[in-house]
Amino acid sequence: MPLRAKSGGGGHAGDDTRASIDRSLSTTRGESMSSLTLLSRSRSDRHLSRALTLLLLVGAAATVSPSPASAQAPTQAVPRAFPQESRGPGFVNYDVRLTADDTGARWRGGMSVRFVNTTGVVLDTIWLRLWGNGEDGCAAPAVRVTRLSGGTAGDPAVGCTALPVRMAHPLRPGQPALLRFDLHISVPDRDARFGHNGPYYLLGHALPVLAVHDGKGWHLDPYSTGGESNYSLTADWAVRLDHPRALAIPATGSAVAVPARPGRTLTTIAAKRVRDFAFAAGPFGEREALTRHGVRVRLWFTDDVSAAEADDTLAGAVEYMDTFAGWFGRYPYPEVDLVSSHFDWGSMEYPTYVVTYPARTAVAHELAHQWWYGLVGNDQYADPWLDEAIAEYAKQRATGDENMVCADPFWPSPDAKVTSGMNYFNANGGYYLVVYLLGSCLMHDLERTMGPDRWLAFLRDYATAHRYGVSTPVAFRAEAQAASPVDLAPVFHRWRAS
């Protein structure tokens, strides 16, 4: 997620730039992202812009009902045994049926979640993440779960972003389960990734997802306003949205829309092996094109986006999707959707779907996330650099964006590290400078040290090996070193990523 920022002056990253950066370092979670100062300049604009170890089941093989067939990536088959320590729950199928009011501001319906305990330990409780409650917490929850069956809901926790569900019976490793509940969504009245701007409604992280359990236990991190806290495993989604005919529905996955009752449309969406699901609703304009590899690129734009901006955004999206496929490997989904507007809050990535300011640097950064976070997942709260630093590096490399910090690096504090987590940045600031700018400097330095061809080959191999899985700092450093003819320890040390 690039942070929207005001453009800064030109020149060397000296006193003026350092002063601008120093001012931005005071940014806290409660401040607007638009107050951050742009430190990475583009030639065209200055706006900011090994697969997961198979989850093998023990004991009797359990069958999980798949989502409806679609052109999406194939559903993973359920194997028979799994390593002693695994992530889960796995083999998840979300089925969502929602009906909108006349504007798209309120959605009501139901949701079911089928999954298998792939953690290797007995689970008596599972957790649902309700990230849509992150901004307002329990004072005004925008996402509510009621009438839950398959377990007993406990009291919401972590600012109402985590809901415990005590299972009717403890789940043994390899055992499937099913939860059903009613779902109530009220889009907050703010211009945000979960909010709206006039008649355009964005429902990012509005749908509940299962929390992740691994060797560290359940991951129940708090919501981060200035970054992401999300950590989820791939799943299959089947979503049915009943909405006013005047509203277009850009979304994760591939959609088919048919007339429903008078004045209404039923949009059915299938998305396979994705980490999350997001959608929007509004009277968007639409354009589309195909990449050289046959990926459908759909651009949805608001009425404040000019025809020239729409053309350039679509052309840039097609170019970057082809570029990144060459660098990081084939994009496995049939389409990617972009929602473009002059948002005050910034841009945001979701699987096969991004929300972006109509500037090429923002478009490139968000589309790079389709590989780094979308295909190769990571714990975005603990290790934000594993997706943001690579996405920012990819943007700079693809657009010719100039990162002035690399030539004259400095750190906001002695204990700031590229590998710091959101807990550090939420308390101390410096997130954009350290993770995006200094983090991308690390990637450029690794490229120089290994050589461009060897470096890109490593990234492609790493993305292929960890596709649909989870990247970790240990794996990234070890596999980079294994691909390098020289010692990379000094590089990681230089950028505080050891």
Side-chain angles (χ1 to χ4, degrees), residues 395-461:
K395 176 205 81 173
Q396 293 165 12
R397 199 178 196 275
T399 65
D401 209 24
E402 180 186 359
N403 186 346
M404 297 181 293
V405 173
C406 297
D408 187 17
F410 65 99
W411 299 84
S413 64
D415 60 344
K417 300 177 182 178
V418 162
T419 53
S420 295
M422 290 309 303
N423 57 337
Y424 175 88
F425 295 113
N426 289 340
N428 299 283
Y431 172 61
Y432 180 74
L433 167 63
V434 176
V435 174
Y436 286 66
L437 297 185
L438 293 167
S440 60
C441 293
L442 163 65
M443 303 304 160
H444 286 293
D445 201 352
L446 288 169
E447 178 179 9
R448 283 190 298 271
T449 303
M450 294 176 65
D453 292 343
R454 193 183 298 272
W455 165 248
L456 287 180
F458 157 68
L459 286 178
R460 187 163 51 250
D461 291 346

